[in-house]
Each structure stands twice: as C-alpha cells, then as structure tokens.
Amino acid sequence: MIPRWQPRDPDWEDKVRRSFARQTVMALIGATLTVVRPGAVEIQLPFRADLCQQHGLFHAGITTTVADSAAGYAAFSLFEPGTMVLTTELKINLLAPAHGDRLRATARVIKPGRTITVAEADVFVRREGVEIHCARMSSSLISRPEA
Amino acid sequence: MIPRWQPRDPDWEDKVRRSFARQTVMALIGATLTVVRPGAVEIQLPFRADLCQQHGLFHAGITTTVADSAAGYAAFSLFEPGTMVLTTELKINLLAPAHGDRLRATARVIKPGRTITVAEADVFVRREGVEIHCARMSSSLISRPEA
Amino acid sequence: MIPRWQPRDPDWEDKVRRSFARQTVMALIGATLTVVRPGAVEIQLPFRADLCQQHGLFHAGITTTVADSAAGYAAFSLFEPGTMVLTTELKINLLAPAHGDRLRATARVIKPGRTITVAEADVFVRREGVEIHCARMSSSLISRPEA
Amino acid sequence: MIPRWQPRDPDWEDKVRRSFARQTVMALIGATLTVVRPGAVEIQLPFRADLCQQHGLFHAGITTTVADSAAGYAAFSLFEPGTMVLTTELKINLLAPAHGDRLRATARVIKPGRTITVAEADVFVRREGVEIHCARMSSSLISRPEA
C-alpha cells in the first residue's frame, strides 16, 4: 500500500477517521479502520457467527460492505475540503469462499478525479493463519459539495 | 415479478426459505423474506440507525447485502436438487441516496443455466410513503454440488 | 421501448443522429442506428465474418461496442444543449453465444442525472429467424460541457 | 507482467497464438498479440481513424475489445488441454479519454479456476510518447469442453 497521490485537504486523515466513526454499520458488524494513507485505506473485520450466509461463511454483502467503505475512504482522503463522498457503482468478483476468522480489506485509488474517482479493493480472509485472496472490487466514487 | 421459469426441484420454495433462515446476517440487520416465486424473490429491510453510512442513509453495503441475497435466492429457486448457490460476481449501480424508512429488494433470474445463472435486483427505498428506485444490481450465481 | 423521460434539448433526435454518424467505428463494422426515442435507442449490426472471435461468433467486444453506443445515445438524447457524453464504466453479462446473422441492441435510461446517467442495454442475436437474448449491459454516462 | 501461474497444457503458447489468429475482428481493427506468458497477455492496437467515437478518440467498445481478448487469452493460457474459453461477464472503468496513437492492453489472471477464471486488464493509450492509463477491466472466463 504505497501511496501515490497527494491529498488536497490538510485534514485528510482526521476527516476519514471521523467519518468512519459515524458509519454506524461498522460498529454493528465490528469492523475497525486499521490503516489510513493518502489514497489508501485498510479495514479489518473479525469473524462473528451473525455475519454469515447459509453455510457459515462471511456473507458476500458483508465482504462488499467492508470493501466499499475501504474504497470510499481511500477516495475521500484525496477529496477537497468541503466535499462528501458517495459510491455510484461497484463491482466485486468473489474469488474464494470467505471462510476464516478475519476479513482484511485494502483499498487504493486507481484514478483520482474532480468529479469521479475510481478505486479498487482486495479482500483477504485469514484461515489457519494464512490469508487467502477472497474478493476484488472496483468502484466509482463521486465528490459532492457537503450538505 | 411474473415468474417466467420452471423450477427443477419440487422443494424449491421450502429450500429457499430454510436457507434464508440460516443466513444469520439477515437476522442481524432485520431483513425478512417477503416473496418467493420460481426465479423471483423479494426481501424487505426496515430502517435502523445502526445500518447507516456517515450521513444517516442505508450503507451501500447493506443495500448490496439485501440485493445479493434476493438475487441468490431467485437463482437458487431454479437450481436442481442437491446443489448449493454461491455468488461469483455482482455489480450494483446506486441510483439515488438510500434515504428512507425501508428498503425493498426485488430480484429475478435473467438467464438460468446449468453452471452460471444471471440474476438482477432492484432496490427501492420508501420515503414519506413513496418508493424511490435507489439501486440496480446484476450478479452471477454458480451452482455447486452440495457439500 | 416506451420512453419515460422528457428530453431537455429540442434538438435531441438530430444531435443523436449526427453524433452517431461521426462514430467511424460504426461504419467500419456496419452498424446502423434504427430507433431513436427520448432515453431509448436501438442499433442493429448484420453478421460479417470479420467481426468474430475464434469460433465464428460475434466477438464479445463487438457486442459490447453496439451496446455501449446504444446506451450512450439513449443517455445523450436526454442531455442538455451544449453537452457531450462519455462512458465512465460499463458491465456486460454475456448470456448466450452470439451465434446468428444479426445483433440488435436496445438501450434505455434507467436514471437520468445532471452529472451521471445510468443506462442499460439488451443485445439479441437472430438465429434462424428467432431472437435470442445474448447480453445485458449496464453503464454510467457522464455529461460534460462541449469542448 | 510477472507470471505467477503454471500452465496445465504444454501447448499453452501455441494454442493462444493459433486462437488469436482466428479472431477475425483482430485483423479488422489491426490488433496484434505482442506478449504471451502463462496467465498474462499483451495486445497492441495502433490508432486508425475508423476506430473512433464521435470525438476522434478510440471508441470505448474498441478499448473493451482488446482488453477482453487479452484477458481471455491470459485465462486460456492456463486452461487444460481440450477446453475452450468464453467470457461470461466483464466490467471496465474508463479512466481517461483514449486519445493517442496506440492502445496497449495488458492482462493477467487474478484467480485461476476449474470452471471460472477471473482476469484483469489495464489499457494504456500513448500520447506524444507517454503512456496514459485509460482503462481497467475485470472479467470472468469460463472453461468449456472443446466442441
């Protein structure tokens, strides 16, 4: 996760952390923001029995939830002051069953833009101490003036 | 939601309902399975303050979670006996802010297949009694022999 | 293809037809613009042996090319005067082998917007007089001031 | 483009080159296969005035066509003998206007599989001697027994 981009807001790190803290669904599922760099964010999520699909794996929607937040904050870290971030679209390929004791989502900006920023995220599931690449996502984030 | 497809498993409705009941994340977020037809499923999710992104809207990951389950079960309802369903990829366009008191995801199979089934879902958010089309998703579901 | 949207430019039909005529790749492959409505466009492409992948079917890229142009012009028909259209992302599910004597792509706007418009396209391949649904695409189109 | 995967067919390189030579659309547009490695392929396409959208840039469908072939052959290079490859879905983010004198698409396998292989491609456009990252694609490729 080597940052390639320059933030345009000196408050970039704090604004990401404050915004993440307001995402109530992150507290509900138990996700934590573990790394914040300019254009790159990591989120971790320990396994819980109430985050599963029908076979006891992390639900694909939960995998997507952490990947989406990571990508959104990777983008937001590069946004100008006075703006907010919204996901306009995302696509995720689920590469392996999300069977393990922790998800780790790492996201990075591929292309920053005034209006649309494109980001990507990889999700790894840890099983018996080894991380398996279980998902890859791309998404578009739009910058809007703060309400 | 007019079913266009013939189920290949006489147990199609019960197996969908049983499998949904095992998706623990649906109970965590408070989602319910409201319609099951051959190749078509509806899921509803009332608003809760702990399902939100930073501005108090439904988190895009939660919108995706209900859309993904609806599409997965739309596909599963057409699968042969002795098989299970996994999402291999999904793409969602977020069309409007998910600001309201309930999400309703309706999914349908676009193309059933022996290996890959393609499904779609629309998500509507209800605001002051009116439903707004807030997301549209397409996904690929794979049929695997039951473990 | 029932139009649901109101054009914001009285020149909507002519500007779509003029712009299509400037897409040189449409002439190269032999595609024609067959229907233009507010927010909805149809393009047809007869089979030619030089449009194929390795098994003699229409190449997925050619299927995508006609679907993308149809969706782009469906969006452009609703844009304000003095703007141009660019695709920012597209996703296509290939539902059946594109084996036949003609492609027909029909596109429609799902959600118009000031900045981002979301559109969809279906592609049908005609084989022995019967149309088969061979692809479904969603895309995001951005409106930019004309250069 | 460092190969990370082992081919399962000793004929991997020749079968990719033979199959590419049968993609008639590659000859039509003037694309050439410039690199073939296990799980990684590069295709180049010089600019021509008949490959354009309405503003004289490479059409997004043409960008997708070379990205799709590159990803398909990256996957095919890892397939078992006696199989063929089909794209089941692809998503592409167009990151910058494809304005320049050559496209170069590099693709690599992200996750090989018995049924579904996931691949990615980047497309670069060369303008005044400098390459600009203009597109990023992910796709799913399915392995089928040869007809």
Side-chain angles (χ1 to χ4, degrees):
Chain A
M1 291 216 314
I2 303 164
R4 304 162 49 196
W5 315 106
Q6 288 301 316
R8 288 173 282 184
D9 184 346
D11 187 37
W12 64 273
E13 182 171 357
D14 280 358
K15 79 175 179 185
V16 167
R17 294 188 180 279
R18 285 195 307 271
S19 183
F20 182 89
R22 287 197 300 269
Q23 287 207 333
T24 57
V25 75
M26 293 294 130
L28 176 69
I29 64 177
T32 55
L33 182 61
T34 44
V35 179
V36 183
R37 302 259 172 76
V41 159
E42 184 189 272
I43 292 174
Q44 295 191 11
L45 176 66
F47 180 80
R48 274 186 359 211
D50 59 357
L51 300 175
C52 293
Q53 40 84 285
Q54 65 276 20
H55 306 298
L57 314 181
F58 284 100
H59 192 283
I62 294 299
T63 303
T64 304
T65 298
V66 293
D68 174 52
S69 276
Y73 287 122
F76 188 49
S77 71
L78 302 182
F79 279 14
E80 300 198 6
T83 59
M84 59 182 216
V85 61
L86 285 170
T87 305
T88 66
E89 59 85 22
L90 66 84
K91 190 243 196 171
I92 190 163
N93 284 87
L94 300 153
L95 306 173
H99 172 42
D101 61 17
R102 189 193 68 188
L103 292 184
R104 188 169 66 87
T106 66
R108 70 217 75 85
V109 168
I110 297 299
K111 179 68 168 51
R114 256 172 315 171
T115 308
I116 299 289
T117 289
V118 178
E120 272 189 356
D122 289 291
V123 187
F124 304 90
V125 64
R126 189 177 60 188
R127 196 186 309 164
E128 296 172 9
V130 178
E131 282 199 323
I132 294 155
H133 190 190
C134 66
R136 191 162 175 92
M137 190 194 77
S138 63
S139 62
S140 300
L141 295 310
I142 196 163
S143 169
R144 291 281 190 212
E146 232 169 357
Chain B
M1 290 217 310
I2 302 165
R4 303 161 50 196
W5 315 105
Q6 289 301 316
R8 286 172 284 183
D9 184 345
D11 188 37
W12 64 272
E13 182 170 357
D14 279 359
K15 79 176 180 185
V16 166
R17 294 189 181 278
R18 285 194 308 271
S19 183
F20 182 88
R22 286 197 302 268
Q23 288 206 333
T24 57
V25 75
M26 294 295 130
L28 176 70
I29 64 178
T32 56
L33 181 62
T34 44
V35 179
V36 183
R37 301 259 171 79
V41 160
E42 183 188 273
I43 291 174
Q44 296 192 10
L45 176 66
F47 180 80
R48 276 189 354 214
D50 59 357
L51 300 175
C52 293
Q53 42 83 284
Q54 66 276 20
H55 305 297
L57 315 180
F58 284 99
H59 192 283
I62 294 299
T63 302
T64 305
T65 298
V66 293
D68 174 51
S69 276
Y73 287 123
F76 189 49
S77 71
L78 301 182
F79 280 14
E80 300 199 2
T83 59
M84 59 182 218
V85 61
L86 286 169
T87 305
T88 66
E89 59 84 24
L90 66 85
K91 188 244 196 170
I92 189 162
N93 284 87
L94 300 152
L95 306 174
H99 172 42
D101 61 17
R102 189 194 65 188
L103 293 184
R104 187 170 65 90
T106 65
R108 70 216 74 88
V109 168
I110 297 299
K111 178 70 166 54
R114 258 172 314 171
T115 309
I116 299 290
T117 290
V118 177
E120 272 188 357
D122 289 293
V123 187
F124 304 90
V125 65
R126 190 177 60 187
R127 196 185 309 163
E128 295 171 10
V130 177
E131 283 200 322
I132 294 154
H133 190 190
C134 67
R136 190 162 176 94
M137 189 193 78
S138 64
S139 63
S140 300
L141 295 309
I142 195 163
S143 169
R144 291 282 191 211
E146 232 171 357
Chain C
M1 289 217 311
I2 303 163
R4 302 162 50 195
W5 315 107
Q6 289 301 316
R8 286 172 284 184
D9 184 345
D11 188 37
W12 64 272
E13 182 170 357
D14 279 358
K15 79 176 179 184
V16 166
R17 294 188 181 278
R18 285 194 307 270
S19 183
F20 182 89
R22 286 197 301 269
Q23 288 207 332
T24 57
V25 75
M26 293 294 130
L28 175 69
I29 64 177
T32 55
L33 182 62
T34 44
V35 179
V36 183
R37 302 258 171 77
V41 159
E42 183 189 271
I43 292 174
Q44 295 191 11
L45 176 65
F47 179 80
R48 273 186 0 211
D50 59 357
L51 301 174
C52 293
Q53 41 84 284
Q54 65 277 18
H55 305 297
L57 315 180
F58 283 100
H59 192 283
I62 294 299
T63 303
T64 304
T65 298
V66 293
D68 174 53
S69 276
Y73 286 124
F76 188 49
S77 71
L78 301 182
F79 281 12
E80 301 199 3
T83 59
M84 60 182 215
V85 61
L86 285 171
T87 306
T88 66
E89 59 85 21
L90 67 84
K91 188 242 196 172
I92 190 163
N93 284 87
L94 301 153
L95 306 173
H99 172 43
D101 61 17
R102 189 194 67 189
L103 291 184
R104 188 170 65 89
T106 66
R108 70 218 74 88
V109 168
I110 297 298
K111 178 69 167 55
R114 256 172 315 172
T115 309
I116 299 289
T117 290
V118 178
E120 272 188 356
D122 289 292
V123 187
F124 304 91
V125 65
R126 189 177 59 187
R127 196 186 309 163
E128 296 171 8
V130 178
E131 282 200 323
I132 294 155
H133 190 191
C134 67
R136 190 163 178 92
M137 190 193 78
S138 63
S139 62
S140 300
L141 295 309
I142 196 164
S143 169
R144 292 281 191 213
E146 232 170 358
Chain D
M1 288 218 312
I2 302 163
R4 303 161 50 196
W5 315 105
Q6 289 301 315
R8 286 172 285 184
D9 184 345
D11 188 36
W12 64 272
E13 182 170 357
D14 279 359
K15 79 176 181 186
V16 166
R17 295 189 181 278
R18 285 194 307 271
S19 183
F20 182 89
R22 286 197 301 268
Q23 288 206 333
T24 57
V25 76
M26 294 294 129
L28 175 69
I29 64 177
T32 56
L33 182 62
T34 44
V35 179
V36 184
R37 301 259 171 78
V41 159
E42 184 188 273
I43 292 174
Q44 295 191 11
L45 176 66
F47 179 80
R48 273 187 359 211
D50 59 358
L51 301 176
C52 292
Q53 42 84 284
Q54 66 275 20
H55 305 297
L57 315 181
F58 284 100
H59 192 283
I62 294 299
T63 303
T64 305
T65 298
V66 293
D68 174 51
S69 276
Y73 286 123
F76 189 49
S77 72
L78 301 181
F79 280 13
E80 300 199 5
T83 59
M84 60 182 216
V85 61
L86 285 170
T87 305
T88 66
E89 59 85 23
L90 65 85
K91 189 242 196 171
I92 190 162
N93 285 87
L94 301 153
L95 307 173
H99 172 42
D101 61 17
R102 189 194 67 188
L103 292 184
R104 188 170 64 89
T106 66
R108 70 217 74 87
V109 168
I110 297 299
K111 179 68 168 51
R114 257 171 315 172
T115 308
I116 299 290
T117 289
V118 178
E120 273 188 357
D122 289 293
V123 186
F124 304 90
V125 65
R126 189 177 61 187
R127 196 185 309 164
E128 295 171 10
V130 177
E131 282 199 323
I132 295 155
H133 190 189
C134 66
R136 190 161 176 92
M137 189 194 78
S138 64
S139 63
S140 300
L141 295 309
I142 195 163
S143 169
R144 292 283 191 210
E146 231 169 359

